[in-house]
Amino acid sequence: MSKKTYLVAGGTSGIGLELVKKLSAGDNRVLVISRNNTGLEGLPGVEHLRKDITTDPIEATELPEVLHGLAYCPGSINLRPFRSLKTEAFLDDYTINVLGAVRVLQAAHKALKNAGGAGVVLFSTVAVGQGMPFHASVAAAKAAVEGLTRSLAAEWAPDIRVNCIAPSLTDTPLAARLLATPEKREASEARHPLRRVGTAEEVAGLAAFLL
């Protein structure tokens, strides 16, 4: 199998980092866009582009000429009662989950098209399809991600495949405070048919398959 080139935005923690590990283990070139390179040290074929995707411009010239796959992994877990959510909270969640993805996808579109048969993976949440209390802000943003996914899947076909994964609560640093005690973890596990919380490695495995 020939060596491929992938772009992972937010690939230094949680699902993103596990995905980078899986892709780099396959003797691929992996470019990670993030604010720091924590966790990437020593991974073969991994390069780092220091950017804050919520504020920094991303130019097509900064990316490889050919990308066989792109995963946008930054996200947020902003759980509050609706009455206490200010407009800024909705804007912040929309910026990191939707506008950040738009910025990366627009910069990478030509390189993805150059690959012929490239794949894109975005991330939503199960809270979009299954109403959950205190999820109004993040669910609204992730619903926009799902809309973006469907639109691009139609617009970019057949050259580029676009998919979205909507996990439930996953054991990652982002969700650490929700699993911080045995009681919280037990309550979270009880809400799932499998009676356990998913792992970053499991979700990253699905993302790697889709890419």
Side-chain angles (χ1 to χ4, degrees):
M1 183 180 295
S2 60
K3 185 173 183 178
K4 295 185 177 180
T5 301
Y6 295 97
L7 172 63
V8 179
T12 59
S13 181
I15 296 168
L17 179 57
E18 293 303 322
L19 177 58
V20 170
K21 291 178 179 178
K22 288 181 180 296
L23 295 176
S24 67
D27 194 32
N28 298 301
R29 179 189 179 193
V30 184
L31 176 62
V32 177
I33 298 179
S34 62
R35 289 175 292 184
N36 60 72
N37 64 348
T38 303
L40 303 179
E41 302 88 347
L43 294 178
V46 175
E47 304 168 22
H48 182 248
L49 178 61
R50 191 178 302 276
K51 295 275 187 179
D52 183 335
I53 52 88
T54 64
T55 57
D56 296 337
I58 301 173
E59 304 295 337
T61 54
E62 299 177 278
L63 306 179
E65 293 185 2
V66 176
L67 284 171
H68 298 91
L70 182 158
Y72 184 84
C73 302
S76 56
I77 302 181
N78 183 17
L79 307 186
R80 299 181 190 175
F82 180 72
R83 66 179 180 276
S84 69
L85 284 168
K86 299 184 182 299
T87 302
E88 289 75 17
F90 284 91
L91 290 173
D92 287 345
D93 281 337
Y94 193 84
T95 297
I96 189 170
N97 289 285
V98 186
L99 297 184
V102 168
R103 184 177 289 113
V104 174
L105 287 165
Q106 287 182 334
H109 179 231
K110 183 178 180 180
L112 289 167
K113 193 169 183 179
N114 287 341
V120 170
V121 171
L122 305 177
F123 286 89
S124 179
T125 168
V126 69
V128 172
Q130 178 179 338
M132 294 181 175
F134 312 123
H135 281 69
S137 180
V138 66
K142 290 298 193 181
V145 172
E146 294 191 10
L148 176 66
T149 300
R150 291 187 176 94
S151 178
L152 291 184
E155 183 175 336
W156 287 1
D159 301 314
I160 303 169
R161 292 169 287 103
V162 185
N163 285 286
C164 185
I165 300 173
S168 185
L169 184 64
T170 307
D171 193 352
T172 67
L174 190 64
R177 64 184 178 85
L178 303 177
L179 302 169
T181 67
E183 292 78 15
K184 287 184 177 181
R185 179 176 288 273
E186 184 177 343
S188 295
E189 291 174 342
R191 286 192 287 268
H192 295 82
L194 291 180
R195 294 295 185 266
R196 67 177 180 85
V197 174
T199 68
E201 293 87 350
E202 290 171 326
V203 182
L206 175 57
F209 169 78
L210 291 172
L211 287 178

